[in-house]
mmCIF file of all heavy atoms in Angstrom:
data_model
loop_
_atom_site.group_PDB
_atom_site.id
_atom_site.type_symbol
_atom_site.label_atom_id
_atom_site.label_comp_id
_atom_site.label_asym_id
_atom_site.label_seq_id
_atom_site.Cartn_x
_atom_site.Cartn_y
_atom_site.Cartn_z
ATOM 1 N N TRP Z 22 -6.427 4.020 -18.094
ATOM 2 C CA TRP Z 22 -5.126 3.414 -18.287
ATOM 3 C C TRP Z 22 -5.202 1.986 -18.936
ATOM 4 O O TRP Z 22 -4.079 1.523 -19.411
ATOM 5 C CB TRP Z 22 -4.418 3.487 -16.899
ATOM 6 C CG TRP Z 22 -4.438 4.661 -16.180
ATOM 7 C CD1 TRP Z 22 -4.998 5.016 -14.937
ATOM 8 C CD2 TRP Z 22 -3.878 5.955 -16.549
ATOM 9 N NE1 TRP Z 22 -4.784 6.177 -14.519
ATOM 10 C CE2 TRP Z 22 -4.176 6.843 -15.559
ATOM 11 C CE3 TRP Z 22 -3.187 6.374 -17.631
ATOM 12 C CZ2 TRP Z 22 -3.743 8.222 -15.694
ATOM 13 C CZ3 TRP Z 22 -2.835 7.716 -17.864
ATOM 14 C CH2 TRP Z 22 -3.078 8.622 -16.869
ATOM 15 N N GLY Z 23 -6.254 1.334 -18.822
ATOM 16 C CA GLY Z 23 -6.227 -0.070 -19.318
ATOM 17 C C GLY Z 23 -5.939 -0.989 -18.224
ATOM 18 O O GLY Z 23 -5.925 -2.350 -18.379
ATOM 19 N N TYR Z 24 -5.824 -0.596 -16.969
ATOM 20 C CA TYR Z 24 -5.453 -1.418 -15.804
ATOM 21 C C TYR Z 24 -5.841 -0.609 -14.596
ATOM 22 O O TYR Z 24 -6.136 0.654 -14.676
ATOM 23 C CB TYR Z 24 -4.054 -1.841 -15.727
ATOM 24 C CG TYR Z 24 -3.142 -0.641 -15.682
ATOM 25 C CD1 TYR Z 24 -2.571 -0.048 -14.541
ATOM 26 C CD2 TYR Z 24 -2.576 -0.138 -16.920
ATOM 27 C CE1 TYR Z 24 -1.772 1.048 -14.613
ATOM 28 C CE2 TYR Z 24 -1.756 0.853 -16.946
ATOM 29 C CZ TYR Z 24 -1.333 1.482 -15.803
ATOM 30 O OH TYR Z 24 -0.446 2.598 -15.861
ATOM 31 N N VAL Z 25 -5.985 -1.225 -13.481
ATOM 32 C CA VAL Z 25 -6.293 -0.517 -12.133
ATOM 33 C C VAL Z 25 -4.984 -0.263 -11.501
ATOM 34 O O VAL Z 25 -4.285 -1.255 -11.088
ATOM 35 C CB VAL Z 25 -7.224 -1.254 -11.267
ATOM 36 C CG1 VAL Z 25 -7.466 -0.518 -9.983
ATOM 37 C CG2 VAL Z 25 -8.595 -1.646 -12.018
ATOM 38 N N PRO Z 26 -4.546 0.992 -11.383
ATOM 39 C CA PRO Z 26 -3.190 1.198 -10.812
ATOM 40 C C PRO Z 26 -2.999 0.797 -9.296
ATOM 41 O O PRO Z 26 -3.998 0.489 -8.716
ATOM 42 C CB PRO Z 26 -3.030 2.806 -11.040
ATOM 43 C CG PRO Z 26 -4.171 3.165 -11.861
ATOM 44 C CD PRO Z 26 -5.143 2.110 -11.688
ATOM 45 N N ASP Z 27 -1.798 0.854 -8.835
ATOM 46 C CA ASP Z 27 -1.473 0.386 -7.566
ATOM 47 C C ASP Z 27 -2.113 1.266 -6.405
ATOM 48 O O ASP Z 27 -2.284 0.728 -5.316
ATOM 49 C CB ASP Z 27 0.034 0.313 -7.366
ATOM 50 C CG ASP Z 27 0.643 -0.905 -7.796
ATOM 51 O OD1 ASP Z 27 -0.109 -1.789 -8.345
ATOM 52 O OD2 ASP Z 27 1.852 -1.138 -7.623
ATOM 53 N N HIS Z 28 -2.589 2.522 -6.720
ATOM 54 C CA HIS Z 28 -3.230 3.209 -5.630
ATOM 55 C C HIS Z 28 -4.671 2.858 -5.487
ATOM 56 O O HIS Z 28 -5.376 3.460 -4.700
ATOM 57 C CB HIS Z 28 -3.037 4.698 -5.922
ATOM 58 C CG HIS Z 28 -3.702 5.213 -7.211
ATOM 59 N ND1 HIS Z 28 -2.985 5.420 -8.411
ATOM 60 C CD2 HIS Z 28 -5.027 5.553 -7.579
ATOM 61 C CE1 HIS Z 28 -3.834 5.778 -9.267
ATOM 62 N NE2 HIS Z 28 -5.015 5.895 -8.816
ATOM 63 N N ARG Z 29 -5.103 2.007 -6.325
ATOM 64 C CA ARG Z 29 -6.565 1.614 -6.263
ATOM 65 C C ARG Z 29 -6.750 0.086 -6.421
ATOM 66 O O ARG Z 29 -5.835 -0.503 -6.995
ATOM 67 C CB ARG Z 29 -7.338 2.388 -7.458
ATOM 68 C CG ARG Z 29 -8.773 2.419 -7.386
ATOM 69 C CD ARG Z 29 -9.346 3.546 -6.624
ATOM 70 N NE ARG Z 29 -8.941 4.783 -7.194
ATOM 71 C CZ ARG Z 29 -8.932 5.918 -6.555
ATOM 72 N NH1 ARG Z 29 -9.170 6.023 -5.316
ATOM 73 N NH2 ARG Z 29 -8.542 7.057 -7.063
ATOM 74 N N SER Z 30 -8.034 -0.328 -6.170
ATOM 75 C CA SER Z 30 -8.372 -1.720 -6.450
ATOM 76 C C SER Z 30 -9.738 -1.707 -6.994
ATOM 77 O O SER Z 30 -10.566 -0.791 -6.677
ATOM 78 C CB SER Z 30 -8.284 -2.602 -5.145
ATOM 79 O OG SER Z 30 -8.951 -3.818 -5.400
ATOM 80 N N ILE Z 31 -10.113 -2.663 -7.740
ATOM 81 C CA ILE Z 31 -11.529 -2.840 -8.327
ATOM 82 C C ILE Z 31 -12.594 -2.871 -7.211
ATOM 83 O O ILE Z 31 -13.693 -2.525 -7.348
ATOM 84 C CB ILE Z 31 -11.617 -3.982 -9.279
ATOM 85 C CG1 ILE Z 31 -12.905 -3.981 -10.040
ATOM 86 C CG2 ILE Z 31 -11.428 -5.300 -8.582
ATOM 87 C CD1 ILE Z 31 -13.042 -2.794 -10.916
ATOM 88 N N LEU Z 32 -12.030 -3.472 -6.015
ATOM 89 C CA LEU Z 32 -13.069 -3.478 -4.887
ATOM 90 C C LEU Z 32 -12.682 -2.509 -3.816
ATOM 91 O O LEU Z 32 -11.452 -2.347 -3.553
ATOM 92 C CB LEU Z 32 -12.980 -5.043 -4.283
ATOM 93 C CG LEU Z 32 -13.312 -6.162 -5.192
ATOM 94 C CD1 LEU Z 32 -13.095 -7.414 -4.466
ATOM 95 C CD2 LEU Z 32 -14.719 -5.987 -5.710
ATOM 96 N N LYS Z 33 -13.640 -1.923 -3.245
ATOM 97 C CA LYS Z 33 -13.399 -0.798 -2.395
ATOM 98 C C LYS Z 33 -12.637 -1.280 -1.027
ATOM 99 O O LYS Z 33 -11.926 -0.628 -0.356
ATOM 100 C CB LYS Z 33 -14.761 -0.267 -1.856
ATOM 101 C CG LYS Z 33 -15.338 0.713 -2.808
ATOM 102 C CD LYS Z 33 -16.704 1.343 -2.296
ATOM 103 C CE LYS Z 33 -17.257 2.430 -3.262
ATOM 104 N NZ LYS Z 33 -18.427 3.084 -2.591
ATOM 105 N N SER Z 34 -12.882 -2.575 -0.645
ATOM 106 C CA SER Z 34 -12.315 -3.141 0.485
ATOM 107 C C SER Z 34 -10.875 -3.635 0.394
ATOM 108 O O SER Z 34 -10.266 -4.000 1.410
ATOM 109 C CB SER Z 34 -13.164 -4.258 1.044
ATOM 110 O OG SER Z 34 -13.181 -5.356 0.001
ATOM 111 N N VAL Z 35 -10.341 -3.527 -0.840
ATOM 112 C CA VAL Z 35 -8.987 -4.079 -1.101
ATOM 113 C C VAL Z 35 -7.962 -2.965 -1.435
ATOM 114 O O VAL Z 35 -8.306 -2.041 -2.041
ATOM 115 C CB VAL Z 35 -9.034 -5.143 -2.228
ATOM 116 C CG1 VAL Z 35 -7.669 -5.623 -2.589
ATOM 117 C CG2 VAL Z 35 -9.887 -6.315 -1.870
ATOM 118 N N GLU Z 36 -6.774 -3.067 -0.974
ATOM 119 C CA GLU Z 36 -5.707 -2.152 -1.357
ATOM 120 C C GLU Z 36 -4.475 -2.971 -1.812
ATOM 121 O O GLU Z 36 -4.368 -4.288 -1.560
ATOM 122 C CB GLU Z 36 -5.213 -1.432 -0.044
ATOM 123 C CG GLU Z 36 -6.159 -0.521 0.495
ATOM 124 C CD GLU Z 36 -5.693 0.236 1.783
ATOM 125 O OE1 GLU Z 36 -4.676 -0.192 2.241
ATOM 126 O OE2 GLU Z 36 -6.374 1.222 2.078
ATOM 127 N N LYS Z 37 -3.648 -2.371 -2.511
ATOM 128 C CA LYS Z 37 -2.377 -2.991 -2.894
ATOM 129 C C LYS Z 37 -1.187 -2.297 -2.299
ATOM 130 O O LYS Z 37 -1.161 -1.102 -2.126
ATOM 131 C CB LYS Z 37 -2.194 -2.753 -4.427
ATOM 132 C CG LYS Z 37 -3.291 -3.392 -5.263
ATOM 133 C CD LYS Z 37 -3.216 -2.942 -6.755
ATOM 134 C CE LYS Z 37 -4.520 -3.334 -7.525
ATOM 135 N NZ LYS Z 37 -4.697 -2.675 -8.834
ATOM 136 N N LEU Z 38 -0.253 -3.061 -1.682
ATOM 137 C CA LEU Z 38 0.892 -2.529 -1.213
ATOM 138 C C LEU Z 38 1.771 -2.070 -2.433
ATOM 139 O O LEU Z 38 2.120 -2.733 -3.275
ATOM 140 C CB LEU Z 38 1.782 -3.583 -0.447
ATOM 141 C CG LEU Z 38 2.897 -3.036 0.283
ATOM 142 C CD1 LEU Z 38 2.602 -1.960 1.331
ATOM 143 C CD2 LEU Z 38 3.720 -4.187 0.950
ATOM 144 N N ALA Z 39 1.994 -0.710 -2.428
ATOM 145 C CA ALA Z 39 2.784 -0.197 -3.537
ATOM 146 C C ALA Z 39 4.174 -0.538 -3.641
ATOM 147 O O ALA Z 39 4.832 -1.051 -2.634
ATOM 148 C CB ALA Z 39 2.851 1.350 -3.402
ATOM 149 N N ALA Z 40 4.806 -0.581 -4.862
ATOM 150 C CA ALA Z 40 6.242 -0.938 -5.027
ATOM 151 C C ALA Z 40 7.087 -0.063 -4.040
ATOM 152 O O ALA Z 40 6.799 1.214 -3.924
ATOM 153 C CB ALA Z 40 6.610 -0.699 -6.496
ATOM 154 N N GLY Z 41 8.138 -0.723 -3.580
ATOM 155 C CA GLY Z 41 9.026 -0.001 -2.759
ATOM 156 C C GLY Z 41 8.477 0.525 -1.461
ATOM 157 O O GLY Z 41 8.893 1.456 -0.802
ATOM 158 N N HIS Z 42 7.450 -0.209 -0.936
ATOM 159 C CA HIS Z 42 6.721 0.191 0.332
ATOM 160 C C HIS Z 42 6.683 -0.962 1.293
ATOM 161 O O HIS Z 42 6.814 -2.208 0.934
ATOM 162 C CB HIS Z 42 5.343 0.607 0.132
ATOM 163 C CG HIS Z 42 5.321 2.125 -0.498
ATOM 164 N ND1 HIS Z 42 5.857 2.406 -1.709
ATOM 165 C CD2 HIS Z 42 4.824 3.189 0.264
ATOM 166 C CE1 HIS Z 42 5.647 3.788 -1.769
ATOM 167 N NE2 HIS Z 42 5.011 4.329 -0.785
ATOM 168 N N TYR Z 43 6.454 -0.702 2.570
ATOM 169 C CA TYR Z 43 6.280 -1.719 3.594
ATOM 170 C C TYR Z 43 5.124 -1.289 4.543
ATOM 171 O O TYR Z 43 4.900 -0.174 4.622
ATOM 172 C CB TYR Z 43 7.618 -2.019 4.342
ATOM 173 C CG TYR Z 43 8.099 -1.016 5.276
ATOM 174 C CD1 TYR Z 43 7.601 -0.999 6.616
ATOM 175 C CD2 TYR Z 43 9.037 -0.023 4.879
ATOM 176 C CE1 TYR Z 43 7.972 0.006 7.534
ATOM 177 C CE2 TYR Z 43 9.387 0.960 5.802
ATOM 178 C CZ TYR Z 43 8.928 0.907 7.148
ATOM 179 O OH TYR Z 43 9.352 1.852 7.950
ATOM 180 N N ARG Z 44 4.707 -2.267 5.343
ATOM 181 C CA ARG Z 44 3.794 -1.948 6.456
ATOM 182 C C ARG Z 44 4.277 -2.828 7.645
ATOM 183 O O ARG Z 44 4.584 -3.968 7.555
ATOM 184 C CB ARG Z 44 2.321 -2.319 6.147
ATOM 185 C CG ARG Z 44 1.713 -1.448 4.934
ATOM 186 C CD ARG Z 44 0.284 -1.878 4.737
ATOM 187 N NE ARG Z 44 -0.636 -1.468 5.687
ATOM 188 C CZ ARG Z 44 -1.935 -1.471 5.667
ATOM 189 N NH1 ARG Z 44 -2.514 -2.082 4.566
ATOM 190 N NH2 ARG Z 44 -2.746 -1.071 6.645
ATOM 191 N N LEU Z 45 4.278 -2.147 8.793
ATOM 192 C CA LEU Z 45 4.611 -2.747 10.091
ATOM 193 C C LEU Z 45 3.362 -2.728 11.006
ATOM 194 O O LEU Z 45 3.013 -1.664 11.410
ATOM 195 C CB LEU Z 45 5.748 -2.115 10.705
ATOM 196 C CG LEU Z 45 6.406 -2.802 11.949
ATOM 197 C CD1 LEU Z 45 6.962 -4.163 11.474
ATOM 198 C CD2 LEU Z 45 7.573 -1.968 12.522
ATOM 199 N N LEU Z 46 2.694 -3.902 11.163
ATOM 200 C CA LEU Z 46 1.503 -3.966 11.876
ATOM 201 C C LEU Z 46 1.718 -4.538 13.275
ATOM 202 O O LEU Z 46 2.536 -5.394 13.423
ATOM 203 C CB LEU Z 46 0.486 -4.857 11.074
ATOM 204 C CG LEU Z 46 0.281 -4.529 9.670
ATOM 205 C CD1 LEU Z 46 -0.595 -5.604 8.922
ATOM 206 C CD2 LEU Z 46 -0.307 -3.166 9.477
ATOM 207 N N ARG Z 47 0.819 -4.015 14.295
ATOM 208 C CA ARG Z 47 0.934 -4.529 15.564
ATOM 209 C C ARG Z 47 -0.487 -5.023 16.085
ATOM 210 O O ARG Z 47 -1.455 -4.437 15.595
ATOM 211 C CB ARG Z 47 1.490 -3.358 16.509
ATOM 212 C CG ARG Z 47 2.842 -2.878 16.131
ATOM 213 C CD ARG Z 47 3.239 -1.673 17.071
ATOM 214 N NE ARG Z 47 4.462 -1.135 16.560
ATOM 215 C CZ ARG Z 47 5.641 -1.662 16.838
ATOM 216 N NH1 ARG Z 47 5.839 -2.817 17.588
ATOM 217 N NH2 ARG Z 47 6.806 -1.027 16.373
ATOM 218 N N HIS Z 48 -0.535 -5.846 16.989
ATOM 219 C CA HIS Z 48 -1.758 -6.398 17.507
ATOM 220 C C HIS Z 48 -2.468 -5.313 18.474
ATOM 221 O O HIS Z 48 -3.673 -5.327 18.435
ATOM 222 C CB HIS Z 48 -1.498 -7.557 18.371
ATOM 223 C CG HIS Z 48 -1.180 -8.811 17.674
ATOM 224 N ND1 HIS Z 48 -1.950 -9.386 16.761
ATOM 225 C CD2 HIS Z 48 -0.048 -9.615 17.816
ATOM 226 C CE1 HIS Z 48 -1.408 -10.535 16.280
ATOM 227 N NE2 HIS Z 48 -0.201 -10.666 16.928
ATOM 228 N N ASP Z 49 -1.728 -4.406 18.961
ATOM 229 C CA ASP Z 49 -2.370 -3.406 19.891
ATOM 230 C C ASP Z 49 -2.571 -2.136 19.268
ATOM 231 O O ASP Z 49 -2.657 -0.967 19.886
ATOM 232 C CB ASP Z 49 -1.494 -3.297 21.121
ATOM 233 C CG ASP Z 49 -0.085 -2.848 20.818
ATOM 234 O OD1 ASP Z 49 0.290 -2.738 19.558
ATOM 235 O OD2 ASP Z 49 0.813 -2.554 21.704
ATOM 236 N N ALA Z 50 -2.671 -2.036 17.937
ATOM 237 C CA ALA Z 50 -2.819 -0.843 17.231
ATOM 238 C C ALA Z 50 -3.585 -0.923 15.941
ATOM 239 O O ALA Z 50 -3.672 -2.002 15.390
ATOM 240 C CB ALA Z 50 -1.538 -0.071 16.941
ATOM 241 N N GLU Z 51 -4.279 0.183 15.385
ATOM 242 C CA GLU Z 51 -4.838 0.228 14.125
ATOM 243 C C GLU Z 51 -3.771 -0.092 13.061
ATOM 244 O O GLU Z 51 -2.605 0.278 13.237
ATOM 245 C CB GLU Z 51 -5.472 1.491 13.856
ATOM 246 C CG GLU Z 51 -6.784 1.745 14.597
ATOM 247 C CD GLU Z 51 -7.790 0.721 14.127
ATOM 248 O OE1 GLU Z 51 -8.135 0.655 12.957
ATOM 249 O OE2 GLU Z 51 -8.318 -0.078 14.905
ATOM 250 N N PRO Z 52 -4.174 -0.655 11.886
ATOM 251 C CA PRO Z 52 -3.184 -1.049 10.910
ATOM 252 C C PRO Z 52 -2.353 0.201 10.471
ATOM 253 O O PRO Z 52 -2.913 1.248 10.023
ATOM 254 C CB PRO Z 52 -4.014 -1.571 9.757
ATOM 255 C CG PRO Z 52 -5.192 -2.041 10.317
ATOM 256 C CD PRO Z 52 -5.606 -1.148 11.530
ATOM 257 N N ALA Z 53 -1.049 0.174 10.522
ATOM 258 C CA ALA Z 53 -0.227 1.304 10.097
ATOM 259 C C ALA Z 53 -0.260 1.454 8.617
ATOM 260 O O ALA Z 53 -0.431 0.541 7.898
ATOM 261 C CB ALA Z 53 1.229 1.033 10.600
ATOM 262 N N ALA Z 54 -0.108 2.760 8.116
ATOM 263 C CA ALA Z 54 -0.224 3.050 6.707
ATOM 264 C C ALA Z 54 1.244 2.501 6.124
ATOM 265 O O ALA Z 54 2.167 2.385 6.837
ATOM 266 C CB ALA Z 54 -0.313 4.562 6.538
ATOM 267 N N ALA Z 55 1.114 2.321 4.793
ATOM 268 C CA ALA Z 55 2.394 1.934 4.105
ATOM 269 C C ALA Z 55 3.436 3.029 4.186
ATOM 270 O O ALA Z 55 3.048 4.175 3.997
ATOM 271 C CB ALA Z 55 2.072 1.546 2.743
ATOM 272 N N ARG Z 56 4.672 2.700 4.259
ATOM 273 C CA ARG Z 56 5.780 3.673 4.232
ATOM 274 C C ARG Z 56 6.683 3.301 3.038
ATOM 275 O O ARG Z 56 7.031 2.151 2.835
ATOM 276 C CB ARG Z 56 6.481 3.626 5.529
ATOM 277 C CG ARG Z 56 5.586 4.023 6.752
ATOM 278 C CD ARG Z 56 6.423 4.194 8.026
ATOM 279 N NE ARG Z 56 7.418 5.234 7.968
ATOM 280 C CZ ARG Z 56 8.129 5.593 8.916
ATOM 281 N NH1 ARG Z 56 8.103 4.980 10.065
ATOM 282 N NH2 ARG Z 56 8.944 6.704 8.794
ATOM 283 N N SER Z 57 7.235 4.312 2.428
ATOM 284 C CA SER Z 57 8.121 4.094 1.352
ATOM 285 C C SER Z 57 9.548 3.819 1.871
ATOM 286 O O SER Z 57 10.081 4.387 2.767
ATOM 287 C CB SER Z 57 8.173 5.371 0.411
ATOM 288 O OG SER Z 57 9.208 5.260 -0.591
ATOM 289 N N TRP Z 58 10.205 2.725 1.266
ATOM 290 C CA TRP Z 58 11.525 2.524 1.679
ATOM 291 C C TRP Z 58 12.648 2.672 0.535
ATOM 292 O O TRP Z 58 13.837 2.532 0.750
ATOM 293 C CB TRP Z 58 11.644 1.099 2.182
ATOM 294 C CG TRP Z 58 11.409 -0.039 1.265
ATOM 295 C CD1 TRP Z 58 10.261 -0.628 1.029
ATOM 296 C CD2 TRP Z 58 12.382 -0.755 0.501
ATOM 297 N NE1 TRP Z 58 10.262 -1.667 0.122
ATOM 298 C CE2 TRP Z 58 11.600 -1.800 -0.215
ATOM 299 C CE3 TRP Z 58 13.744 -0.795 0.428
ATOM 300 C CZ2 TRP Z 58 12.173 -2.671 -0.956
ATOM 301 C CZ3 TRP Z 58 14.356 -1.691 -0.392
ATOM 302 C CH2 TRP Z 58 13.710 -2.605 -1.007
ATOM 303 N N TRP Z 59 12.078 2.888 -0.685
ATOM 304 C CA TRP Z 59 12.925 3.062 -1.885
ATOM 305 C C TRP Z 59 12.203 4.014 -2.909
ATOM 306 O O TRP Z 59 11.105 3.933 -2.995
ATOM 307 C CB TRP Z 59 13.310 1.805 -2.579
ATOM 308 C CG TRP Z 59 14.238 1.948 -3.807
ATOM 309 C CD1 TRP Z 59 15.587 1.937 -3.680
ATOM 310 C CD2 TRP Z 59 13.932 1.972 -5.150
ATOM 311 N NE1 TRP Z 59 16.082 2.062 -4.829
ATOM 312 C CE2 TRP Z 59 15.098 2.118 -5.754
ATOM 313 C CE3 TRP Z 59 12.717 2.074 -5.738
ATOM 314 C CZ2 TRP Z 59 15.258 2.187 -7.191
ATOM 315 C CZ3 TRP Z 59 12.721 2.222 -7.131
ATOM 316 C CH2 TRP Z 59 13.959 2.244 -7.886
ATOM 317 N N ASP Z 60 13.061 4.823 -3.554
ATOM 318 C CA ASP Z 60 12.616 5.601 -4.680
ATOM 319 C C ASP Z 60 13.799 5.782 -5.624
ATOM 320 O O ASP Z 60 14.980 5.640 -5.244
ATOM 321 C CB ASP Z 60 12.091 6.966 -4.179
ATOM 322 C CG ASP Z 60 11.137 7.679 -5.227
ATOM 323 O OD1 ASP Z 60 10.914 7.040 -6.218
ATOM 324 O OD2 ASP Z 60 10.830 8.817 -4.972
ATOM 325 N N VAL Z 61 13.482 6.083 -6.900
ATOM 326 C CA VAL Z 61 14.590 6.282 -7.831
ATOM 327 C C VAL Z 61 14.679 7.799 -8.075
ATOM 328 O O VAL Z 61 13.619 8.552 -8.215
ATOM 329 C CB VAL Z 61 14.277 5.586 -9.155
ATOM 330 C CG1 VAL Z 61 12.925 6.038 -9.735
ATOM 331 C CG2 VAL Z 61 15.390 5.831 -10.173
#
């Protein structure tokens, strides 16, 4: 593609929060996956 898309990062340890998504994190739980809040 000529760029690294949002579903990937050049580093294995890094992620990108996708467009139209959110994450709700808590201290007493594993990091929650991103959830979509808008689509066209």
Side-chain angles (χ1 to χ4, degrees):
W22 312 119
Y24 54 91
V25 181
D27 274 2
H28 62 261
R29 192 90 57 205
S30 166
I31 190 66
L32 299 180
K33 284 186 175 181
S34 60
V35 175
E36 297 180 345
K37 301 165 190 168
L38 184 62
H42 281 67
Y43 73 85
R44 295 181 74 176
L45 190 61
L46 307 175
R47 303 179 184 278
H48 288 299
D49 57 357
E51 285 295 302
R56 300 186 64 178
S57 173
W58 66 271
W59 181 87
D60 198 4
V61 59

